[in-house]
Amino acid sequence: MWQGFAPALPANPWNWIAVWRRNFLVWRKVALASILGNLAEPMSSLFGLGFGLGMIIGGVEGTSYISFLAAGMVATSAMVSATFETIYAAYARMQTNCTWEAVLCTPLTLGDIVLGEVAWAASKALLAGTAITIVAVTLGYAEWSSIPYALPAIALTGITFASLAMVVSALAPSHDYFIFYQSLILTPMMYLSGTIFPMSQLPGSFQRIAAFLPLTHSVDLIRPAMLGRPVDSVGLHVGALCIYAAFPFLVSAALLRQRLMR
């Protein structure tokens, strides 16, 4: 049983770098357009909701609404960037362009490819989240000292949602099915996880559900760091995100092996 599953795992701790580098070299040609595309939606939400609703709402949890919202947009941007890179770009490399098939003709295993894709998606999430953090800090909506503390949480968020999206890519028969993941999972998660408004405003049953969502743990790490506040239950949030990253990675590797062996 283990011999049958072993090819779906990374061969060693460094082979994934070749996959990451390959994706980086391709992305470098369209880097500017990619960065602007990743920033457009969260930045429009930050300024549109921040200035629009902020004028009505005023302060939230001891800070301005736009400062409250900025941290939520950083986490959301990392989530969306990692997810879209996995369910669209990585899926195309697997299914349409047959890039994975070519890579599998080398000494790399399927696990090396999956780990490289997850790491690359997390890198793009880190880039997108960092860019919004810098904008927020520059405009005075966060502390400069928060950046070193926020970056690890942004990177972990990217790894988590890339792993989750890899399971979706392994199961989806075509691109058309990704809209269900976006509409039924990502969008409700964004509203439930305290990115746009405090979770305390939700009914009790929804608060209990939200406590188990990965984006909630991401926001609970990023927001205090950006606002210069102590983070409560760091171990809980980091541990939850690590579980959400590791378990889906193993599941996706097994599912992808079954899919590619058909």
Side-chain angles (χ1 to χ4, degrees):
M1 179 178 178
W2 172 252
Q3 292 179 346
F5 185 71
L9 297 177
N12 54 55
W14 55 82
N15 274 0
W16 63 270
I17 298 175
V19 178
W20 185 97
R21 182 175 181 274
R22 181 265 169 203
N23 292 342
F24 169 75
L25 293 175
V26 173
W27 171 83
R28 189 173 58 178
K29 302 175 183 178
V30 294
L32 181 59
S34 176
I35 292 172
L36 292 177
N38 287 332
L39 291 178
E41 183 175 355
M43 291 302 296
S44 62
S45 298
L46 174 62
F47 292 119
L49 293 174
F51 289 125
L53 289 178
M55 296 295 292
I56 302 173
I57 296 174
V60 177
E61 295 185 348
T63 187
S64 66
Y65 178 68
I66 193 168
S67 297
F68 174 89
L69 182 64
M73 290 299 101
V74 169
T76 300
S77 177
M79 174 185 74
V80 171
S81 180
T83 299
F84 278 36
E85 176 63 25
T86 305
I87 63 177
Y88 288 109
Y91 184 86
R93 289 189 284 268
M94 174 189 68
Q95 187 72 14
T96 308
N97 302 333
C98 298
T99 304
W100 287 20
E101 184 177 343
V103 174
L104 286 173
C105 295
T106 71
L108 272 66
T109 66
L110 177 59
D112 295 325
I113 297 175
V114 175
L115 182 57
E117 293 286 1
V118 169
W120 171 244
S123 299
K124 292 192 68 176
L126 177 61
L127 181 62
T130 301
I132 297 178
T133 302
I134 292 174
V135 171
V137 168
T138 302
L139 296 177
Y141 304 135
E143 301 288 339
W144 279 106
S145 59
S146 68
I147 294 180
Y149 299 98
L151 293 184
I154 297 171
L156 184 55
T157 300
I159 294 172
T160 297
F161 283 97
S163 295
L164 290 167
M166 194 63 73
V167 176
V168 179
S169 294
L171 294 173
S174 69
H175 287 92
D176 299 331
Y177 287 80
F178 294 144
I179 189 63
F180 298 113
Y181 181 61
Q182 298 170 41
S183 301
L184 300 178
I185 303 296
L186 296 186
T187 300
M189 189 185 304
M190 183 180 69
Y191 289 116
L192 290 173
S193 298
T195 58
I196 299 177
F197 51 82
M199 284 176 51
S200 59
Q201 300 300 312
L202 294 171
S205 57
F206 286 97
Q207 290 186 38
R208 288 188 286 273
I209 294 172
F212 291 95
L213 299 177
L215 187 59
T216 299
H217 295 286
S218 174
V219 172
D220 286 344
L221 287 173
I222 295 173
R223 178 168 286 134
M226 291 184 63
L227 296 179
R229 300 172 178 174
V231 182
D232 296 328
S233 306
V234 177
L236 172 64
H237 300 313
V238 172
L241 289 175
C242 288
I243 292 172
Y244 274 115
F247 184 68
F249 174 82
L250 297 175
V251 172
S252 66
L255 292 173
L256 286 167
R257 182 175 183 274
Q258 292 180 357
R259 177 173 185 149
L260 296 176
M261 290 293 290
R262 292 174 185 172

